[in-house]
Each structure stands twice: as structure tokens, then as C-alpha cells.
Amino acid sequence: MAASSPEEVARKLGYASPADLILHLPLRYQDETRITPLRDVRPGDTAQVEGVVEHCEVQNRPRRQLIAQVTDTVSGGAQLFFRLLHFYPSQVALLKPGARVRLLGEIRPGFFGAEMVHPQFRVVRENTPLPDTLTPIYPAVAALSQYAIRKAVAGALAEADLSDPLPVPLNLPGFAEALGALHHPPPDADLAALESRDTPAWRRLKYDELLAQQLSLRLAARQRLALRALPLPDDGALAARLLAALPFAMTAAQERALHEIRHDLARPHPMNRLLQGDVGSGKTLVAALVVLPALAAGHQVAVMAPTEILAEQLFLKFHEWLAPLGLEVAWLAAALRGKAKKATLAGIADGTVRVAVGTHALFQNGVAFHNLALVVVDEQHRFGVAQRLALRDKGAAVSACEARVASSDADSQPHMLMMSATPIPRSLAMSYYADLDVSVIDELPPGRTPITTRTINANRRAEVIERLHDYCLSGAQAYWVCPLVEESEKLQLRAAEESHAELVALLPELNVGLVHGRMKSEAKAAVMSAFKAGELHLLVATTVIEVGVDVPNAALMVIEHAERYGLAQLHQLRGRVGRGARESTCLLMYEGPLSEAARQRLKIIHDHNDGFAIARADLQLRGPGEFLGARQSGQQLLRFADPVADADLLEQARDAADGLLERHPDGARRHLARWLPHGLDLFRA
Ligand code: ADP
Ligand code: MG
């Protein structure tokens, strides 16, 4: 293989510059620091031996291979065969009798005696010095040899400034020392600890990485305070009218959240707040109330949901509550085309549309807001990190553009309210959302009944259907949730239609409806209202009903292939029952054999009714990356540290960040340049 330049190595490994290679850390190591006398090596050992080639030949039968016989000069004549099944003519030429070779590999008993198959080998002169550190094995890509990577990394280490830009915590080594211990550990290093990333050197790097994240988050928070936004104080008049029309009063937790959000909105800086609350805790109402002052002030509000169905549900709710106040709500549906779409876009652009509800299509090119003052993002956890960033940028662009028109402050930004039913556990919130204020609705509206959850093997399906028959004839209603087919919407639809046909055939005395995502909105709405009116006993549905559907008399839910669903989704689905006075049941029907992960998911959902507990368990099960949806966007948030496992380092970094920015602004800048050379944005999602 031709020698690669450091630039080439860096590029192939996905780095922008060779300097980044100092943080390309080894996966493991091998010991080339000593030569073991051949006679001391036992079969099964991996060792480095040295000897002289006695004989070397290329055989063609029984298969093509190169066999060399080597005599170990140190052990006084012990012999070893080594075989190469793939080799180049140049290698044959190297292995002439008399050549001295160093071989590293596993020794095993062979046909002729002890042998090594495909060891790492090289031809050396007598007394060639041995390396005095362990040899790193780096993460590699095809077409890049370990040798090339080692050379490039060593070069980068020699050139880089490895000094400590900030004071080092007492219990951790210096940066240069830590990198030395990781790239070139001494022969007596604890390999197990190194490989499990549990040494002082590893902890130093994890700490550094977490510190960079905390510093960038603190900087983002400061920047936000330096930004301007339209203050939206609320006199409460519209809110009072909206609330007066409702058949219920707000819970204390809703009141508290509302108060916190209003406080933020009244300030001249952009709000960045997450509203957390379990499924059914009533977040939508709080959102509807806080958009009122923006509308009263003549400004626009964008309300965004992760899917078309959720957007529609939100639109219907907002419309129901705001229209009586004389406030029009526009829905930017995906199905919107031609003239209707043009008109909506024009209304958004000239400000006549005050509230626009939609998916992330709201923030795609071609949609320009006139004077956007507040963005509400529902089910925020379902958006990828990249989408959240795009949203942010769009907000900035929008306000910059507006500012030119209004010739006000050039960096004015909309306020942001995000909502999530997947609570973010403290350690994660601290790590990823330090620039986010959080409100929690920690109580459900009164009158909800607890749900009993059961798991049941799909081989008892006939029994379930029979019970369903009796249950529905006793006056209650039920949902039948069809299996999730993630790969294809078409297959998903077919699964739903099959289940529907089967249940219609098996339950002739019941009225069985079907609702799925491919249906036209009017058709969907017709089925839903028939179900709500009690005209249907049983509603066969896809995850369309995951959110927003509210039928108190429906108290039984059967979920087919429950093992395919994620925890958050199961929890959302189950939240459709338990809304009335009836005792509610959720039957999780599964198809065995279950994978270990699926078994754990079902157990968690069976054992817990509380969304916070489920989210914590979900995090344990999937790890922070997937939990936060980082995988989805292809972005890795942290390379080395894990905010949950390394919570102690995270706390240390968080506690240090503000003081370091205060006392060592230059050092903090250098630290950030080392860890986040290509911008800070990733951490600000
Ligand atoms: P989520 O927090 O999951 O988005 P929703 O906002 O959809 O929950 O609210 C669930 C249901 O509870 C809706 O039908 C809503 O109208 C109703 N609701 C909201 N607040 C209250 C309340 N304080 N008392 C009774 N019902 C309420
Ligand atoms: Mg909701």
C-alpha cells in the first residue's frame, strides 16, 4: 500500500484536519515490547517470537499457501512453521533462508509442529531494538493501514500543543500525559482497564469532552441573554375567555407551568423552555394559552408537530379553542396543493395568518413568516437533533429578515416553547439541555382511572377475541391496535386491513371500524366521530390514534405485536384508555420468541404507568444517543463520555464551567477550539 500523507489519513478517517488525529484513540493494543523464547510459548498463547528462516516454499496443493520454517535462535533451536494463505511475490522474496523475522500471533499445534497462521511479521536485522511502549490498534477504515494511521497520529501528537489551557482538576492527569498513556501506554499498563476506558487518562479525556460541552452550553445561554426578542406580557383577558368556555378547570400543575412560561415571555430575551408532562397531562391547553399574548400583539405563532396526524390533531384543538375568540388558525397540511397552498403561504408571508400549524414543512424553504414571535414544538423528542437545529436557524433567519423591515434590533429571535411527553432524565437534561429551562406538569387531570396492563402470548388470540365480544356487548368500547410495520406504510396498511377483515368476520354482532393514516381526513374524522358517538363497538387502528384521540367510554386496548413498538409509543398508545370512569385494561399481545430487549420493554410498560419512570428505564435500555434521537440525525453528540455512566465527571464539569469562563476566558476558548474545532452548534439542539 502506498504511504498516505497525514492529510489523507485524516480525511479518510473523517476528520477535517490532521491536528484532529490526536483524539483518534486506540481501540486496543498489542505487546511488541518483548520477544518470548519459543520454548516458553504454549499452544493458544499470543506472543511475539523471533527467528531465522530455514526454509520457505510456496505450495499449490492441497491449497495454495506459503510455508516458512523458522528456527528460534534464542531458545536454542526450537522450530516453528508459519503459513500465509494470501501473500505477494514481494513477501516470498523477503522470506529467503537466513532472513531474520519477528512474528506476532497465536501459536497453535499444526500438522508439522507448532505454527502461526497469518501472524503479523516483519523482517529485521539482528538486535533491532524493540518498541518500549505498547502498540496501538486504531479504529481504521478500508484502504488505510495501521502503520499509516500510527505514523499520522504520532506526527500529529508531535506537532500539537498539548499543554493544559485550563487548570486541571486535582484527581486527573495533564492532557499531554493522558494522551501519552492512551496512544503509547507503557508495557506494564493495565490493558483491561484501558480497553474498558476506565483509567485516569480516559477519565481526563471524558472530563475534557464534557467540559467542552458545558462551556459551549454556558456560552449559548449567555448569547441568548444577549439576544433580543419581542416581550409578550399577558393581561390574561383572552385567556380568561378561553378558559371560561371549557368544561373543566386547569390543574394546579398546568397553572404553575403557565405562570413560568408567561414569566419568560414577558422578558425581552428569547425564551428557550421545555414543557414536560406525561401523556394526557394537558400540555396542549397550556400551549394554546401562551400563544394568546403574541396574537393580541399582532404577531405570528408557528406550531409544529413531528407527524402529519399530530399536526392535524393540534390544528383541530387550536381551532376549537381559538376560533371562538375570533382568531383564525391555518393548517399547512402536506395535502395542501395549488391555490389553497399558495394562499396559505401568502397569508403566512404577509402576516394575515397568525397561527400556522404544521409539520417541519413549516420551516422549509418557501415558507416565510412576516413577524414570527413564538414557535411551539410539540412532541419535541420525536424530532431529530438536525431538525431542531434547522428550526432554530430558520427562526433566526426569519427574525433577521423581519428586523430589516421593522428596522428594529437585528438579532431579535422568536421565543421557543418545546413540549415533550418523554421526560428527559436529569443527567441528560444537564448534559444536552443546559441552555434550556424546564417546566413540568406533574399531575394528571382528575377523574382518570388507573389502567391495568397485561401481556399475553399471541397464541391466545382466539381467546382474546372471544372476550372482546363479551366486553363490547356489555356496553364498553375498545381499540385494536394493528402491528407496526416500520419498513413500509403499504405493508402497515395491509396489516390493518387484514386485522379489520378478520375481526369483522369473527365478531358479526359488533360494529367494527377501521382508521389508518392513509385515509382522507374527512373519512378519518367520520370514523372517529362514529366511535366517539358510540356507534362503533370496536375501532381497529394504526398508530394514528397514538395522540389526541379522546374517547372516555373506550376502556380496553389490545395491541397486536406489542413487541415491535418502542416504549414511548406504547405509553402514548395506552394513554388512549383510562380516560373515563370505567376500569381500563391494556392487553399487550406479543409474538414469541421475544428478543431480550423486547422482553425488557414489555416488562417495563407492564410494571409502570408513570411516563417519567418509563423514560428513565428507556434511557437505561437504549443509551443516551438513541434516546435523544441523535442516531436518527447521524450526529454523535459525545464521542468518549457517557452522561449517565460518567455522571460524576459531568457534575464536576458543570460546576467548573461558569468559573472557568469567568477567570480563564482565553483558556476556555482554547479548550473549545481543541474539542469542538468546527463549531459549537451540535450541543445547542
Ligand atoms: P398531552 O399533555 O398528552 O398533550 P392533552 O393536551 O392532549 O395532553 O390533554 C389530554 C386531554 O385532557 C384533552 O382532552 C384535554 O382537553 C384534557 N384536559 C386538559 N386539561 C385538563 C384539565 N385541567 N382537566 C380536565 N381535562 C383536561
Ligand atoms: Mg400532546
Side-chain angles (χ1 to χ4, degrees):
M1 210 173 296
S4 307
S5 70
E7 284 75 19
E8 230 177 299
V9 173
R11 188 175 47 74
K12 284 185 179 160
L13 290 171
Y15 299 103
S17 115
D20 298 335
L21 290 172
I22 62 170
L23 293 174
H24 188 68
L25 297 180
L27 288 174
R28 49 196 180 81
Y29 306 87
Q30 75 195 12
D31 190 353
E32 296 174 18
T33 63
R34 59 210 148 108
I35 304 245
T36 311
L38 194 48
R39 63 161 181 268
D40 294 345
V41 184
R42 301 283 150 259
D45 285 357
T46 294
Q48 178 169 247
V49 300
E50 186 172 313
V52 173
V53 175
E54 292 288 334
H55 180 80
C56 175
E57 71 176 299
V58 173
Q59 293 185 345
N60 285 310
R61 276 202 192 84
R63 57 170 301 171
R64 187 170 160 78
Q65 60 178 337
L66 177 153
I67 300 187
Q69 187 184 354
V70 172
T71 303
D72 174 359
T73 46
V74 189
S75 316
Q79 293 216 325
L80 170 80
F81 290 89
F82 93 87
R83 299 198 282 139
L84 297 179
L85 306 177
H86 308 281
F87 50 91
Y88 298 107
S90 58
Q91 289 174 317
V92 184
L94 274 177
L95 296 170
K96 288 190 298 280
R100 177 173 289 271
V101 285
R102 251 176 217 171
L103 309 168
L104 181 98
E106 189 191 328
I107 305 259
R108 47 191 216 196
F111 187 72
F112 303 105
E115 68 169 23
M116 277 188 186
V117 180
H118 268 282
Q120 174 182 312
F121 77 93
R122 67 188 178 116
V123 175
V124 293
R125 280 199 214 119
E126 202 168 350
N127 298 325
T128 298
L130 290 159
D132 49 15
T133 60
L134 298 179
T135 306
I137 312 282
Y138 288 104
V141 292
L144 211 49
S145 69
Q146 284 293 330
Y147 176 76
I149 300 176
R150 276 175 208 144
K151 219 175 119 195
V153 171
L157 284 169
E159 277 183 20
D161 171 10
L162 302 181
S163 64
D164 288 300
L166 291 170
V168 183
L170 282 179
N171 52 350
L172 296 175
F175 187 62
E177 188 189 330
L179 281 187
L182 293 175
H183 285 290
H184 304 118
D188 60 352
D190 179 348
L191 279 182
L194 268 176
E195 281 168 29
S196 62
R197 303 188 162 195
D198 186 24
T199 63
W202 266 115
R203 286 174 57 79
R204 165 64 203 257
L205 287 211
K206 292 175 182 181
Y207 171 80
D208 272 20
E209 181 178 43
L210 290 164
L211 181 62
Q213 188 190 42
Q214 292 302 308
L215 289 172
S216 73
L217 287 168
R218 298 318 304 158
L219 284 176
R222 288 177 183 204
Q223 275 170 18
R224 185 155 61 86
L225 277 184
L227 289 177
R228 311 207 45 88
L230 185 74
L232 300 167
D234 193 352
D235 65 7
L238 282 173
R241 280 173 58 198
L242 197 166
L243 288 170
L246 294 179
F248 51 76
M250 280 207 285
T251 62
Q254 283 172 311
E255 298 259 20
R256 208 165 44 237
L258 179 65
H259 181 77
E260 287 165 4
I261 298 166
R262 278 182 172 164
H263 173 81
D264 280 7
L265 287 176
R267 303 193 324 151
H269 308 294
M271 169 174 80
N272 199 26
R273 191 171 276 276
L274 178 68
L275 175 59
Q276 295 190 337
D278 208 345
V279 184
S281 61
K283 297 182 291 293
T284 322
L285 176 61
V286 173
L289 290 169
V290 303
V291 307
L292 296 173
L295 303 179
H299 282 256
Q300 289 178 302
V301 176
V303 183
M304 189 168 91
T307 69
E308 192 69 10
I309 292 146
L310 297 189
E312 180 180 9
Q313 299 291 347
L314 271 183
F315 164 72
L316 292 173
K317 268 279 181 246
F318 270 71
H319 176 74
E320 175 190 331
W321 288 332
L322 298 185
L325 305 178
L327 298 167
E328 274 311 319
V329 181
W331 180 26
L332 192 69
L336 207 57
R337 306 224 180 282
K339 270 194 189 147
K341 180 166 185 178
K342 245 190 177 157
T344 305
L345 291 180
I348 292 176
D350 67 18
T352 43
V353 166
R354 294 289 190 67
V355 187
V357 182
T359 62
H360 53 277
L362 270 182
F363 291 90
Q364 265 151 22
N365 293 335
V367 185
F369 284 85
H370 177 65
N371 57 3
L372 187 62
L374 169 63
V375 178
V376 177
V377 183
D378 198 12
E379 305 291 332
Q380 170 260 9
H381 61 284
R382 302 257 303 252
F383 289 95
V385 173
Q387 281 170 325
R388 298 204 288 265
L389 286 173
L391 179 73
R392 223 191 160 95
D393 290 349
K394 185 78 181 188
V398 162
S399 53
C401 163
E402 170 209 341
R404 253 180 275 122
V405 180
S407 72
S408 67
D409 234 318
D411 48 352
S412 169
Q413 287 225 342
H415 297 282
M416 283 270 256
L417 175 66
M418 292 169 275
M419 304 199 285
S420 173
T422 304
I424 294 155
R426 202 179 103 80
S427 54
L428 275 194
M430 224 165 75
S431 169
Y432 294 109
Y433 296 106
D435 180 31
L436 196 64
D437 301 304
V438 179
S439 295
V440 180
I441 304 183
D442 55 2
E443 109 188 83
L444 294 180
R448 304 270 164 93
T449 49
I451 306 165
T452 309
T453 302
R454 298 228 169 83
T455 51
I456 187 163
N457 194 303
N459 60 21
R460 294 174 62 192
R461 187 186 168 97
E463 212 179 305
V464 170
I465 294 176
E466 202 174 297
R467 289 238 217 108
L468 204 56
H469 172 262
D470 300 344
Y471 181 81
C472 287
L473 286 183
S474 78
Q477 290 170 282
Y479 295 102
W480 182 282
V481 181
C482 301
L484 182 71
V485 187
E486 275 198 332
E487 306 78 37
S488 140
E489 210 180 310
K490 243 199 205 138
L491 288 179
Q492 164 97 58
L493 180 57
R494 193 155 81 213
E497 280 168 344
E498 275 169 14
S499 294
H500 179 246
E502 184 196 4
L503 289 166
V504 166
L506 290 174
L507 299 167
E509 288 164 76
L510 301 186
N511 294 327
V512 184
L514 171 65
V515 63
H516 57 75
R518 281 283 186 95
M519 279 159 83
K520 289 237 156 62
S521 347
E522 303 91 73
K524 230 185 293 173
V527 176
M528 288 315 304
S529 69
F531 188 57
K532 210 162 187 162
E535 291 156 21
L536 296 173
H537 295 102
L538 179 61
L539 183 64
V540 179
T542 59
T543 46
V544 177
I545 58 155
E546 186 180 330
V547 172
V549 176
D550 196 22
V551 180
N553 193 44
L556 172 65
M557 173 175 281
V558 180
I559 304 180
E560 262 191 292
H561 275 292
E563 77 280 1
R564 293 189 193 165
Y565 286 94
L567 275 173
Q569 228 167 0
L570 286 174
H571 183 57
Q572 290 268 2
L573 282 169
R574 184 174 57 180
R576 297 310 106 206
V577 293
R579 293 175 164 251
R582 252 175 221 285
E583 295 249 328
S584 294
T585 306
C586 180
L587 277 186
L588 305 172
M589 204 151 67
Y590 63 88
E591 195 88 43
L594 289 174
S595 71
E596 180 54 22
R599 201 187 59 75
Q600 290 191 24
R601 279 201 302 276
L602 292 182
K603 178 164 166 39
I604 290 165
I605 205 81
H606 173 269
D607 290 353
H608 298 281
N609 253 317
D610 169 20
F612 281 79
I614 292 170
R616 269 196 302 277
D618 201 7
L619 172 67
Q620 295 265 313
L621 213 55
R622 293 194 295 164
E626 282 207 20
F627 183 86
L628 288 171
R631 292 267 165 87
Q632 229 174 302
S633 71
Q635 301 278 23
Q636 207 177 351
L637 292 165
L638 289 166
R639 291 161 63 191
F640 304 128
D642 171 336
V644 178
D646 304 314
D648 61 323
L649 292 174
L650 174 57
E651 301 246 0
Q652 222 179 326
R654 192 203 47 177
D655 292 347
D658 262 328
L660 292 173
L661 280 174
E662 222 44 77
R663 288 189 300 280
H664 306 276
D666 267 1
R669 198 179 37 72
R670 277 168 54 209
H671 185 85
L672 282 169
R674 174 181 284 166
W675 280 92
L676 302 168
H678 313 295
L680 315 174
D681 256 3
L682 206 50
F683 291 136
R684 289 201 275 140

